[in-house]
Amino acid sequence: MTKKLEGKTALITGGSRGIGAAIAKHLASDGAKVVITYTKGGDAAASVVKGIEGAGGKAMAIQADATDPGAVNAAVEKTVATFGQLDVLVNNAGTAIPKRFEDATLEELDRLIDLNIRGTFIATQAVLKHMKNGGRIIMIGSCVGERNMTPGLAAYSATKGAVKMFAQSLSREVGSRGITVNNIQPGPIDTDLNPAAGDWAAPQKANTALNRYGSVDEVAALVAFVASPEAAYITGASLTVDGGTNA
């Protein structure tokens, strides 16, 4: 049986842990050759690659800070040189610095903008030079980019709102090439960054309709669907996987 992403190559930024690692594994299990970038934590990245290879897939990890255009461009070039093409980009690298807006330092705000917005611009521009017709660009936004009920995420939600509008607008620019651009908006997902047992968890869980945190695999499943040929007519969309947080 042919797998849905057989013959495709996918690049996932920030793919060494959490949601990014789950996406890498899922796309690989669907037949894609997978490249992940990471900033620090080479061991974690190596372990994702090892897991994919152990299951019979092809994967590679490249150290590249998502905010460094030179490193990101080099990672994209290396991906194309190694696997011959680039069909799927998942803009997953991002961070949150949860604190009241008036208490945030300018350095922290700059970091959010630099990674969550500028980093997404850098990777997307680098990849579009190489992406074949029919490619997929997938943003990992956030349900708070549309509606935010959690104090402490004002600046973060602003960056994810920007990502949402970027996806919608870019979809119109690249549609003639059959490239789709979509924004996946996770709600509270159990990761190192936002543990289900953490200090910030109770109000987030209470905001969901399902009264639970989601798993990284539940996000990866939606990304894999959007990356697949079946989703060819979905573009410019923001799709929530948030347990009903925004319902």
Side-chain angles (χ1 to χ4, degrees), residues 19 23 140 184 186-187 189 214-224 241:
I19 291 172
I23 291 168
I140 304 300
I184 306 299
I189 304 296
S215 75
V216 291
D217 293 327
E218 288 171 316
V219 178
L222 181 55
V223 173
V241 49

Side-chain angles (χ1 to χ4, degrees), residues 80-93:
V80 175
T82 307
F83 293 126
Q85 64 196 70
L86 188 38
D87 309 279
V88 179
L89 167 66
V90 183
N91 278 306
N92 169 74

Side-chain angles (χ1 to χ4, degrees), residues 195-226:
D199 300 341
W200 291 73
Q204 291 182 70
K205 187 176 146 190
N207 284 336
T208 67
L210 296 176
N211 195 34
R212 69 171 177 87
Y213 261 53
S215 75
V216 291
D217 293 327
E218 288 171 316
V219 178
L222 181 55
V223 173
F225 171 68
V226 170

Side-chain angles (χ1 to χ4, degrees), residues 167-186:
Q168 285 177 221
S169 308
L170 185 66
S171 70
R172 296 196 174 270
E173 292 191 14
V174 298
S176 60
R177 292 165 59 184
I179 295 172
T180 68
V181 188
N182 291 291
N183 176 38
I184 306 299
Q185 301 186 135

Side-chain angles (χ1 to χ4, degrees), residues 10-57:
L11 174 66
I12 297 104
T13 65
S16 64
R17 61 198 176 109
I19 291 172
I23 291 168
K25 289 171 190 164
H26 199 126
L27 296 184
S29 74
D30 282 348
K33 296 170 183 129
V34 166
V35 178
I36 59 171
T37 63
Y38 65 97
T39 305
K40 47 186 191 290
D43 291 351
S47 126
V48 172
V49 169
K50 203 171 160 188
I52 290 170
E53 290 175 343

